[in-house]
Amino acid sequence: MKQIWIITKRELQAYFDSLMAYILLILFLGFSGFFTWIYGSDIFFIKQASLQAFFSIAYWTLFFFIPSLTMRLLSEENKTGTIELLLTKPVTNWQVIMGKFLSALALIVIALLLTLPYYFTVASLGNIDNGQVFSGYLALILFSSMYISIGLYTSSVTNNQIVSYLLTLSIGIFFQIIFGMLSRGVSGLIGHILNYLSVYTHFESMTRGVIDSRDIIYFLSFIFLGLVLSETMLIKKRYT
Amino acid sequence: MDIVVEKLTKRYGSQKAVDNISFRVKTGEVLGFLGPNGAGKTTTMKAITTFLAPDEGKITVGNYSVDEDADEVKKHIGYLPEDNPLYEEMPIIDYLKFVAQIEGIEKGKVEEKVREIIETCGIEAEKYKKIIELSKGYKQRVGLAQALIHNPEVLILDEPTTGLDPNQIIEIRELIKKIGKEKTVILSSHILAEVEATCDRIMIINNGKIVADGTASELRKKAQGKEILKVTIEDGNINTIYTSLQNLEETELVDILDKSGNIFEVQSKVEKSSRRAIFKLCVDNQWMLTQMSFIEAKLEDVFRELTMN
């Protein structure tokens, strides 16, 4: 646990030192703020004190920002060779993976915390459903974790950051939209499966305020799968 | 802690980088790996540090097996990889703190350890600089600092003096010698003088195999086999002297090194010495023997002989 925390701390420091963190925070707040409050203006017209508009915008902004956070996590270490130093220190592969995963997640959580003024603003305008807000933020965190985990994996298979970024987007786009679109055209079991695979199904139901164990299990399984695959790539290094 | 390597084999594809090598390094010994590029030095070192899994063979560090107790092995090893990779965007002091923490140094002692190692490695003036801003020599010192910070019992240094200037090289050699007295050290290099200056024992590797193993003087003797003398004989006709030397029973080959100075190189037959015979020859002919010395085989020659295919 201590080792994981030491790695997380270093990675977070690296995000802030390289200005990556500031750029991401500003862009994320700028984009989601602009589309939530100014451009889309849904938030004022639905005649409900709700953060739904923000959640559906964050659904897309995070989709594009997360790969830019995860792309360097392992690919840079592969490229510069620092991975050799790290893995010959008294840490396990799993600790390295978890440390890196948590650093990106921590940054996303910071970004989400900075959107809390949205909540207070809306809450002052009318009766807000706190349960729905909570479940919406939980959805954002689980959704982000899933893409961080996929991004970490694509970062482990290459030593080129751009390749990792694009790979994450190409894998992500299936979950983000393609599975959902396909499921509408297919009936029966396959349609069900496609619908279940689509992130939107689970994300949407959670932002409406429903916390269902099936949704939680969905996110946790993909998070775990990404982490395990990334660890496998580290293990494989020993056997090249 | 002793390092024991038994029948280590490592392949990259169909090519054998390390081919069935075995050796043991004892505590307090500094072993120098010598060999041309691609001989298998780095691969062997990577296998000892747990970074690469051997295809065959067993490695133990102290009582720990590299394969089964990797975590324990890692705790006791300080490793400086080839090319010295570092987190270049970090300031030296932050980087060393990170390494100290990850090496499991107690919280209260981290600062102290970092201060100590910065002093030992002579990077005091640069400690707040980002690593990327440092010259190659200073980077190398940071690489050494991260390997030494937790006072490991085993040190694996892959080409530790590349990029250093002559003064720094001497400093680092002194440091390695000092450390080497109580630790087990393996270092690799293709600079012969360096290995000779720092190591108690030299191992020459070529094509993944150990081709020589011993102290510098042992290796020289091995290559020497035949006695070679440099002789100066005065007060005689150079041609007469040449012929007489040639006719001695013990000599195999005589060469005139310097005509005006009457200097000869005399190579004796295997297992024979021609020193007494030469002296006797001079006395009989009333020549003056003003110089007779051994010509030592250079380590370079040994190296070339063993590694040229």
Side-chain angles (χ1 to χ4, degrees):
Chain A
M1 202 56 218
K2 210 176 120 212
Q3 300 297 73
I4 295 178
W5 172 234
I6 295 166
I7 293 171
T8 304
K9 236 175 27 186
R10 196 205 78 79
E11 293 293 337
L12 259 183
Q13 188 69 47
Y15 280 134
F16 282 96
D17 283 348
S18 66
L19 301 182
M20 186 73 208
Y22 299 104
I23 296 171
L24 173 101
L25 291 176
I26 290 168
L27 281 179
F28 173 71
L29 292 175
F31 268 100
S32 44
F34 179 75
F35 286 104
T36 306
W37 300 100
I38 301 168
Y39 188 76
S41 53
D42 290 12
I43 202 154
F44 296 118
F45 286 94
I46 47 172
K47 292 178 180 163
Q48 266 179 31
S50 156
L51 279 179
Q52 281 251 0
F54 162 66
F55 292 142
S56 34
I57 280 153
Y59 180 73
W60 282 103
T61 43
L62 288 174
F63 175 71
F64 286 104
F65 284 142
I66 286 169
S68 68
L69 278 185
T70 55
M71 64 183 186
R72 54 161 273 281
L73 284 176
L74 282 162
S75 64
E76 202 181 23
E77 300 235 21
N78 287 339
K79 188 173 177 181
T80 58
T82 46
I83 192 72
E84 183 170 350
L85 263 190
L86 188 56
L87 293 182
T88 50
K89 300 286 178 214
V91 292
T92 61
N93 294 319
W94 183 249
Q95 285 166 339
V96 171
I97 295 297
M98 281 309 288
K100 289 184 178 270
F101 169 78
L102 289 177
S103 69
L105 182 58
L107 199 57
I108 293 295
V109 169
I110 293 172
L112 291 177
L113 284 177
L114 290 174
T115 64
L116 280 182
Y118 297 3
Y119 163 73
F120 293 116
T121 312
V122 173
S124 71
L125 294 175
N127 265 335
I128 195 162
D129 180 348
N130 285 322
Q132 190 194 22
V133 171
F134 173 78
S135 123
Y137 272 103
L138 182 64
L140 282 180
I141 287 173
L142 286 171
F143 161 84
S144 304
S145 302
M146 171 171 160
Y147 282 128
I148 291 171
S149 169
I150 293 173
L152 190 58
Y153 169 66
T154 65
S155 175
S156 72
V157 297
T158 173
N159 44 28
N160 184 321
Q161 301 193 20
I162 303 298
V163 170
S164 164
Y165 182 86
L166 294 174
L167 259 180
T168 312
L169 281 192
S170 351
I171 297 173
I173 199 78
F174 281 90
F175 293 101
Q176 187 80 354
I177 192 161
I178 293 179
F179 286 145
M181 280 162 59
L182 289 177
S183 75
R184 260 170 266 148
V186 187
S187 58
L189 182 65
I190 296 176
H192 268 297
I193 291 174
L194 287 172
N195 188 45
Y196 184 78
L197 280 177
S198 165
V199 170
Y200 192 73
T201 318
H202 308 277
F203 183 80
E204 203 258 349
S205 118
M206 283 186 82
T207 52
R208 275 193 286 107
V210 187
I211 300 183
D212 188 323
S213 59
R214 270 176 305 175
D215 300 330
I216 308 273
I217 288 169
Y218 170 84
F219 285 118
L220 290 183
S221 340
F222 278 107
I223 295 167
F224 188 67
L225 181 68
L227 295 176
V228 169
L229 285 177
S230 313
E231 193 201 11
T232 314
M233 289 309 293
L234 286 192
I235 296 170
K236 248 179 82 181
K237 277 194 176 306
R238 274 199 82 207
Y239 296 92
T240 45
Chain B
M1 280 187 149
D2 291 9
I3 300 171
V4 183
V5 174
E6 277 172 76
K7 297 181 176 164
L8 173 72
T9 298
K10 178 77 194 172
R11 293 183 202 89
Y12 294 118
S14 60
Q15 198 194 357
K16 277 185 181 170
V18 175
D19 190 358
N20 196 23
I21 69 173
S22 305
F23 60 91
R24 168 189 274 267
V25 197
K26 290 193 220 82
T27 311
E29 196 171 33
V30 181
L31 173 71
F33 271 172
L34 208 58
N37 296 320
K41 294 173 297 200
T42 297
T43 306
T44 309
M45 294 176 124
K46 283 184 178 179
I48 297 172
T49 59
T50 74
F51 186 65
L52 279 180
D55 289 317
E56 283 155 43
K58 227 181 91 187
I59 304 171
T60 51
V61 175
N63 293 323
Y64 304 111
S65 147
V66 163
D67 224 27
E68 286 149 30
D69 315 302
D71 276 350
E72 282 302 317
V73 171
K74 287 181 193 172
K75 275 185 203 159
H76 295 100
I77 287 186
Y79 177 39
L80 173 70
E82 205 183 13
D83 306 329
N84 188 24
L86 298 163
Y87 292 127
E88 302 213 321
E89 78 282 3
M90 290 178 96
I92 294 182
I93 192 156
D94 289 354
Y95 176 64
L96 292 177
K97 267 184 205 161
F98 163 72
V99 176
Q101 287 170 344
I102 212 142
E103 290 289 1
I105 290 169
E106 289 168 55
K107 216 170 185 180
K109 290 197 175 147
V110 168
E111 301 269 339
E112 185 193 324
K113 280 274 174 193
V114 169
R115 211 174 328 114
E116 264 175 40
I117 201 75
I118 283 180
E119 208 185 293
T120 316
C121 295
I123 39 181
E124 182 70 34
E126 328 282 326
K127 65 182 174 189
Y128 296 114
K129 276 195 189 164
K130 284 191 175 181
I131 295 173
I132 201 165
E133 295 162 7
L134 301 176
S135 69
K136 206 171 175 207
Y138 276 103
K139 276 186 196 168
Q140 200 68 19
R141 288 169 184 226
V142 177
L144 272 171
Q146 64 81 27
L148 292 170
I149 197 161
H150 57 301
N151 198 17
E153 288 170 71
V154 175
L155 260 182
I156 312 280
L157 309 171
D158 204 346
E159 303 194 1
T161 56
T162 35
L164 301 180
D165 67 39
N167 292 333
Q168 293 169 334
I169 288 181
I170 290 170
E171 278 172 42
I172 296 294
R173 279 186 196 161
E174 295 290 311
L175 185 67
I176 292 171
K177 268 189 168 174
K178 201 173 92 192
I179 296 164
K181 285 195 182 119
E182 55 222 64
K183 298 183 192 303
T184 319
V185 183
I186 299 183
L187 67 87
S188 78
S189 176
H190 40 237
I191 307 165
L192 297 145
E194 169 160 307
V195 175
E196 201 175 356
T198 36
C199 302
D200 309 317
R201 192 173 135 206
I202 300 174
M203 217 159 82
I204 302 181
I205 302 185
N206 191 36
N207 286 333
K209 289 196 164 101
I210 299 174
V211 288
D213 184 356
T215 63
S217 54
E218 279 169 4
L219 290 191
R220 274 204 206 88
K221 219 176 267 167
K222 208 175 187 178
Q224 225 157 11
K226 295 173 191 162
E227 179 193 80
I228 303 171
L229 298 170
K230 191 174 173 188
V231 185
T232 310
I233 299 172
E234 290 170 21
D235 297 352
N237 180 286
I238 187 159
N239 290 324
T240 330
I241 299 170
Y242 177 81
T243 331
S244 319
L245 283 173
Q246 192 81 315
N247 288 338
L248 285 175
E249 196 187 315
E250 293 87 351
T251 58
E252 181 168 293
L253 201 78
V254 180
D255 208 11
I256 301 174
L257 287 181
D258 183 353
K259 264 195 169 157
S260 55
N262 280 19
I263 305 174
F264 304 88
E265 188 183 287
V266 182
Q267 191 178 333
S268 313
K269 286 179 181 148
V270 181
E271 306 266 298
K272 292 228 164 134
S273 170
S274 44
R275 281 172 293 171
R276 295 176 72 93
I278 294 172
F279 182 74
K280 197 159 180 297
L281 184 76
C282 294
V283 173
D284 291 349
N285 293 290
Q286 304 224 326
W287 293 328
M288 273 298 168
L289 180 61
T290 53
Q291 175 186 230
M292 171 148 50
S293 57
F294 284 112
I295 297 178
E296 273 203 331
K298 289 196 204 96
L299 212 48
E300 270 85 354
D301 300 331
V302 184
F303 182 75
R304 280 181 66 91
E305 196 175 304
L306 290 167
T307 58
M308 292 286 274
N309 302 315

